[in-house]
Amino acid sequence: MAQSIDIVGTALAQDTRALRELSLALHENPELSGAEHNAHALLADFLESREFSLTREAAGMSTAFVAEWGSPSASSDAVTVAFVSEFDALPAIGHACGHNLIAITGVAAALSLQAFIKATDADARIKLFGTPAEETWGGKINFIEQGFFTDVDVAMMTHPGNVNVTWAKYLALSALVVDYHGKSAHAASNPWDGANALDALVQAYNSTSMLRQQVLPTTRIHGIIKKGGDAPNIIPQHTQAEFMLRTEKLSDLNALRPKINSIFEAAALATGTTAKVKYDPVFEDVVINSNLAKRFEAYARDSGCVFPSEEKQKSKSYGSTDMGNITHVVPGIHPIFDIESTSSDIHTDDFREGAATAVAHDAAVRAAKCLALTAIDFITDAEFRNAVRAEFEATSQEF
């Protein structure tokens, strides 16, 4: 253990300035989901300069990449560890989710694990996924669907925040758009000739509100009306709303969606309109592998991090992420590290500024160290590796 800590620490110390420059370059040039062209080039070029082989524009996405490196003596049974980097920003508030830090934690973990494999000739390979559009349609889903994780044994990433959390609860998410189409008419002279698409949408909205009484307390249903009509003296012939459905478990989400569909269909039937529902890809709940989580948190505590109790960590939900989809196909974790420079939560101006500080950078590097050390244990400790795999197999029966 002492040897791995020394190797990882030395590697990170040597690369910290380059990693800081990468982080600031991303922070100063925020790019929205699917348009992260500068980030894609910066990160891919950097990794290529460090002996990683690059697949650019991976999985049919122009801003996605996979960086791979393996021991020269790696066998066909070599363990493959994956790290995940995100780098998309938010409209108007830039890197207020700290994805510039997520990007470099993945890179830093990959580089330090590479240093360990070189020093020890461990039988292992590394894959670093550069995943676009976490804030919107979820680039990780494309990677999964196209088979990029079939040879991966474990996948890990971290997220900045204002507290250290290993047992972060991320909800399954289904985002949708519903359009109602009716028939326009003059609202004063002959309203009876129309079919009111706004009436349909209002009924649907009110019915989803009533449904909240009949769902689990942890379920979230929230939405907005995007289009309510064109003028008050015209019976609206087209209206549109966006909704998000969130549940603790994917199975609960699968049970909820038919109920929502029935509400939309009933509103259309009652008003003589038609409903068209379009669902985005589902973000699945994050399944935390407890063996990986405990090992990561132990290393983080040894590095000076302070954590709330496990019970308190699990008491709050932290939104949704497509990293959840990865944890449904391979064992994984998605801990949060405290950037220590802001009391504000993510998606705020204050957090954006905090994500560019030296303190936040040090916290990101520390988190990367803990990821790398957890990965090293997974590679070198067969008993630990088997426990991680056995837990995943048992948990996957519940998906």
Side-chain angles (χ1 to χ4, degrees):
M1 181 183 297
Q3 180 191 25
S4 60
I5 291 173
D6 288 344
I7 293 170
V8 168
T10 299
L12 291 173
Q14 291 173 345
D15 284 322
T16 186
R17 175 178 289 185
L19 292 166
R20 174 89 167 126
E21 290 174 355
L22 276 176
S23 177
L24 291 178
L26 298 180
H27 192 274
E28 292 165 5
N29 184 26
E31 297 168 298
L32 300 182
S33 295
E36 313 97 326
H37 299 288
N38 180 64
H40 173 272
L42 281 174
L43 295 168
D45 288 350
F46 180 78
L47 288 160
E48 199 165 53
S49 74
R50 298 305 182 92
E51 303 177 24
F52 282 78
S53 62
L54 267 293
T55 302
R56 301 171 191 251
E57 301 184 14
M61 297 176 285
S62 63
T63 57
F65 67 81
V66 184
E68 301 180 68
W69 185 89
S71 167
S73 59
S75 70
S76 59
D77 296 324
V79 176
T80 300
V81 173
F83 300 113
V84 181
S85 289
E86 299 169 358
F87 34 77
D88 58 325
L90 292 159
I93 54 176
H95 277 293
C97 201
H99 286 197
N100 60 302
L101 298 172
I102 297 176
I104 66 160
T105 57
V107 173
L111 291 177
S112 52
L113 181 57
Q114 179 191 46
F116 174 82
I117 295 171
K118 283 183 175 181
T120 62
D121 198 28
D123 192 18
R125 298 186 180 91
I126 306 166
K127 293 181 80 169
L128 173 60
F129 289 89
T131 61
E134 188 274 340
E135 296 289 356
T136 54
W137 42 265
K140 298 178 189 64
I141 299 170
N142 290 38
F143 278 117
I144 295 167
E145 291 178 345
Q146 296 190 31
F148 280 80
F149 281 89
T150 55
D151 62 345
V152 170
D153 292 290
V154 66
M156 297 181 286
M157 67 169 287
T158 59
H159 197 297
N162 57 7
V163 65
N164 292 307
V165 179
T166 304
W167 304 92
K169 181 166 59 179
Y170 287 90
L171 305 178
L173 164 68
S174 183
L176 65 91
V177 175
V178 57
D179 288 90
Y180 281 98
H181 295 276
K183 181 182 177 183
S184 64
H186 196 290
S189 64
N190 58 322
W192 47 83
D193 288 331
N196 196 316
L198 181 58
D199 285 349
L201 186 52
V202 169
Q203 284 196 39
Y205 188 93
N206 288 338
S207 294
T208 59
S209 296
M210 294 177 185
L211 179 63
R212 292 190 183 101
Q213 300 177 61
Q214 311 301 324
V215 298
L216 294 169
T218 52
T219 294
R220 303 287 183 265
I221 304 171
H222 41 102
I224 58 170
I225 295 175
K226 297 280 287 185
K227 179 178 174 63
D230 298 309
N233 61 342
I234 303 172
I235 299 296
Q237 68 174 354
H238 173 230
T239 56
Q240 183 183 81
E242 292 183 12
F243 287 89
M244 288 184 172
L245 319 176
R246 301 183 198 253
T247 61
E248 282 197 348
K249 299 293 183 182
L250 180 61
S251 57
D252 295 330
L253 186 62
N254 290 336
L256 177 63
R257 295 210 315 181
K259 297 178 181 180
I260 293 293
N261 289 336
S262 295
I263 284 173
F264 294 152
E265 292 167 5
L269 182 63
T271 56
T273 61
T274 59
K276 182 178 180 182
V277 185
K278 180 181 178 182
Y279 283 93
D280 287 343
V282 169
F283 282 21
E284 298 173 350
D285 55 302
V286 173
V287 181
I288 300 170
N289 187 283
S290 66
N291 284 281
L292 292 172
K294 290 174 182 177
R295 192 63 58 97
F296 175 91
E297 184 169 317
Y299 281 124
R301 288 182 183 275
D302 288 345
S303 299
C305 296
V306 177
F307 289 82
S309 67
E310 183 177 326
E311 180 182 6
K312 187 171 183 179
Q313 290 182 48
K314 291 179 176 178
S315 67
K316 178 182 176 181
S317 63
Y318 289 86
S320 307
T321 172
D322 56 350
M323 182 62 186
N325 299 61
I326 293 177
T327 66
H328 278 247
V329 296
V330 295
I333 52 172
H334 187 287
I336 297 170
F337 62 92
D338 186 2
I339 66 171
E340 303 178 26
S341 58
T342 175
S343 60
S344 296
D345 210 344
I346 60 173
H347 292 204
T348 62
D349 290 329
D350 186 44
F351 196 87
R352 178 194 62 225
E353 298 308 308
T357 64
V359 173
H361 173 75
D362 291 342
V365 172
R366 183 169 57 244
K369 176 184 177 182
C370 299
L371 285 182
L373 292 172
T374 303
I376 289 169
D377 286 351
F378 184 82
I379 292 166
T380 60
D381 185 343
E383 184 178 352
F384 176 58
R385 184 166 63 250
N386 290 335
V388 169
R389 288 172 170 169
E391 180 185 350
F392 176 75
E393 292 299 326
T395 306
S396 63
Q397 303 302 315
E398 304 172 6
F399 295 166

